[in-house]
Amino acid sequence: MAATSCFQVVLPLTTCSFPSSTSYSKSIKLKPNTIDNLRIKCFASINARNSSSSSNIPMPPINPKDPFLSKLASIAATSPDSLLQDSHASGSDTPPYLDIFESPKLMATPAQVERSVSYNEHRPRTPPPDLPSLLLHGRIVYIGMPLVAAVTELVVAELMYLQWMDPKAPIYIYINSTGTTRDDGESVGMETEGFAIYDSMMQLKNEIHTVAVGAAIGQACLLLAAGTKGHRYMMPHAKAMIQQPRVPSSGLMPASDVLIRAKEAVINRDVLTELLAKHTGNSVEAVANVMKRPFYMDSRRAKEFGVIDKILWQGQEKIMADVMPPEDWDKSAGIKVADPF
């Protein structure tokens, strides 16, 4: 009885084959007439199941938009015998019925199809790159800190990288820096930090567009003025300032060392004066005269002094073009110029 129930469960197909009576009896040690009885009971069970399968087994609802089921139904309607072929019996590695698709695809489950309405739905799958890398992709170098060693190292490396990527495309340097000093005037870096960036800019083959946003003080003002002529810009409310280099804190230095530091500061001052005179179009004496004390410049004054070429004021050209000269203002207002005594 155990063997009979086993055959009834394992063989769901409409046809089945058995090995010979002799080999089968040797494997399970049954008599030949017992095997014949098993065959008869197996065929009777299979025929009974096939006759009542359509009425007893409930069929799940079929999705009419499912491409796999639609293809399977069309094949069953045209050639039902092809669905009875066992792909594994013929030695094929393809799972059953998947070969009816030219390119099988995994179908999404209902949980995957259902969309979330939460904010996390739009969260990127991978972390975004850092902002300096995004700016560098647009060929923008942003100097937003005092010129210390770490800032100089990054800026010089970015300039060399952008020239290596494209030696003809322009490079945009946005400047918001207090140079080698802090806001209160205390020195935080050597003057050579600014000179290192300046020398790198002069060695580049690319056009360099400089833009002042916020402040460009000291060595940062030199970098602003060192851009390509005609491409030096300034925001309307930005500030530029030139001043003499500061001697770093001497601490407990001997007097001789303090004197050496002071001489080096004087040399850096003269170099800074010459470079500013070169890029602004002023004389060395004029630049040295205004540098005796901190010389602040707004956007208009910086343009007059030659630090920049244009103020980035959106719509400024149209506004200034529509403004009448002072004489026309007086004439339209009915004001007459008094004759001098």
Side-chain angles (χ1 to χ4, degrees):
M1 292 298 294
T4 307
S5 61
C6 176
F7 270 102
Q8 292 177 353
V9 174
V10 172
L11 299 175
L13 299 177
T14 55
T15 58
C16 57
S17 60
F18 293 90
S20 62
S21 301
T22 305
S23 61
Y24 193 84
S25 62
K26 289 181 180 180
S27 60
I28 61 175
K29 297 181 179 181
L30 295 176
K31 295 181 180 181
N33 57 352
T34 305
I35 298 175
D36 295 336
N37 295 333
L38 291 177
R39 285 180 179 177
I40 296 173
K41 292 181 179 180
C42 173
F43 288 135
S45 175
I46 292 174
N47 293 331
R49 183 182 305 162
N50 291 338
S51 61
S52 61
S53 60
S54 59
S55 59
N56 297 333
I57 301 177
M59 296 298 293
I62 298 177
N63 183 9
K65 297 183 180 180
D66 192 329
F68 180 81
L69 295 180
S70 301
K71 188 74 174 179
L72 193 63
S74 62
I75 292 179
T78 56
S79 56
D81 296 337
S82 62
L83 297 179
L84 300 178
Q85 296 177 0
D86 190 357
S87 59
H88 292 283
S90 59
S92 175
D93 295 333
T94 307
Y97 309 135
L98 283 182
D99 53 350
I100 64 176
F101 269 131
E102 290 77 13
S103 56
K105 297 180 181 179
L106 293 177
M107 290 178 287
T109 62
Q112 293 173 331
V113 174
E114 183 180 359
R115 299 186 61 83
S116 173
V117 294
S118 64
Y119 178 78
N120 293 334
E121 177 186 355
H122 305 286
R123 180 176 296 178
R125 296 294 181 266
T126 57
D130 56 299
L131 290 179
S133 299
L134 291 176
L135 295 177
L136 190 65
H137 183 70
R139 305 188 64 81
I140 296 175
V141 177
Y142 179 56
I143 304 176
M145 296 180 63
L147 301 181
V148 295
V151 175
T152 302
E153 176 185 4
L154 177 62
V155 171
V156 172
E158 289 179 338
L159 292 176
M160 293 189 298
Y161 172 77
L162 291 177
Q163 180 185 233
W164 176 76
M165 287 295 294
D166 191 346
K168 297 182 180 180
I171 299 175
Y172 305 90
I173 302 180
Y174 284 73
I175 302 172
N176 182 20
S177 173
T178 58
T180 56
T181 61
R182 293 193 314 190
D183 295 339
D184 56 1
E186 183 179 353
S187 179
V188 295
M190 300 179 63
E191 298 298 317
T192 52
E193 304 296 342
F195 292 145
I197 299 177
Y198 172 82
D199 291 338
S200 300
M201 293 170 59
M202 295 298 101
Q203 296 298 322
L204 296 178
K205 301 177 183 179
N206 310 72
E207 282 189 355
I208 300 178
H209 300 194
T210 55
V211 182
V213 288
I217 297 175
Q219 293 278 357
C221 185
L222 172 63
L223 301 181
L224 173 63
T228 305
K229 285 285 187 178
H231 299 287
R232 302 173 302 173
Y233 309 102
M234 199 169 181
M235 293 296 182
H237 302 99
K239 295 288 184 179
M241 190 264 279
I242 55 177
Q243 62 182 355
Q244 298 186 31
R246 306 296 180 91
V247 179
S249 178
S250 58
L252 300 177
M253 289 183 182
S256 58
D257 293 353
V258 175
L259 180 60
I260 293 174
R261 291 290 187 94
K263 290 181 179 179
E264 183 65 21
V266 172
I267 294 174
N268 291 334
R269 180 201 62 185
D270 296 339
V271 173
L272 180 60
T273 303
E274 294 176 0
L275 294 178
L276 284 172
K278 171 185 175 182
H279 291 287
T280 60
N282 298 293
S283 62
V284 176
E285 292 77 12
V287 176
N289 186 43
V290 299
M291 279 182 59
K292 290 180 179 180
R293 303 297 298 171
F295 181 62
Y296 284 90
M297 296 171 284
D298 58 7
S299 56
R300 294 181 181 273
R301 196 170 186 181
K303 183 178 180 181
E304 295 173 358
F305 195 74
V307 176
I308 63 172
D309 303 304
K310 185 179 179 182
I311 304 172
L312 289 180
W313 185 3
Q314 187 175 2
Q316 180 193 19
E317 292 78 6
K318 184 178 185 304
I319 294 175
M320 298 304 295
D322 295 340
V323 174
M324 294 185 295
E327 295 79 8
D328 296 340
W329 276 101
D330 295 341
K331 184 182 296 185
S332 62
I335 301 175
K336 296 182 179 180
V337 180
D339 295 332
F341 295 104

